[in-house]
Amino acid sequence: MAVALIERKESPVRVRGVERSLEVQLGPLGGFDLRPTRFFVWSGAEREGQERVVSLGSAPRSLLISRRERELRAGVVCVRSRGNPLMTLALAGVHAAKKLARED
């Protein structure tokens, strides 16, 4: 039985002026990129030109404090994040809830 190796990387360069994000790629199946104000989804191994965008409301906000991009690979699964992934999920949830409340 083969065990998938888990590989972790952290970029040496800190980024600022971009939106926090949590991206999950499931190999050739596709993936998603969750940001506080938008949700990107695509099918297939290539994201470029295949993605669909769902707006969660307000305009994007850039990170004021510089953060490193982190990447975790386990087999064909790749997870990338800018900023704290839990904070990204929480902020996206707040924006989505506000958008739903406005639509009612």
Side-chain angles (χ1 to χ4, degrees):
M1 182 169 91
V3 177
L5 295 175
I6 297 175
E7 180 183 333
R8 295 174 194 247
K9 285 194 251 179
E10 187 172 296
S11 73
V13 178
R14 290 177 169 261
V15 293
R16 183 187 310 190
V18 293
E19 195 173 16
R20 63 176 57 246
S21 69
L22 173 62
E23 180 182 326
V24 177
Q25 173 77 34
L26 302 171
L29 295 177
F32 66 88
D33 183 353
L34 178 66
R35 300 179 185 192
T37 60
R38 295 170 289 169
F39 182 72
F40 300 81
V41 65
W42 62 92
S43 62
E46 294 296 318
R47 176 179 176 170
E48 191 73 27
Q50 301 295 319
E51 63 190 7
R52 300 291 181 253
V53 182
V54 176
S55 173
L56 300 177
S58 62
R61 289 189 183 167
S62 298
L63 288 169
L64 299 176
I65 299 171
S66 61
R67 303 275 189 232
R68 287 190 172 95
E69 187 169 272
R70 292 180 171 85
E71 184 176 304
L72 175 73
R73 288 185 178 271
V76 297
V77 177
C78 178
V79 178
R80 287 187 194 103
S81 66
R82 270 191 308 263
N84 184 326
L86 294 175
M87 181 62 92
T88 303
L89 285 168
L91 289 170
V94 168
H95 283 280
K98 285 181 178 180
K99 182 176 182 177
L100 286 172
R102 282 192 305 267
E103 291 176 357
D104 285 342

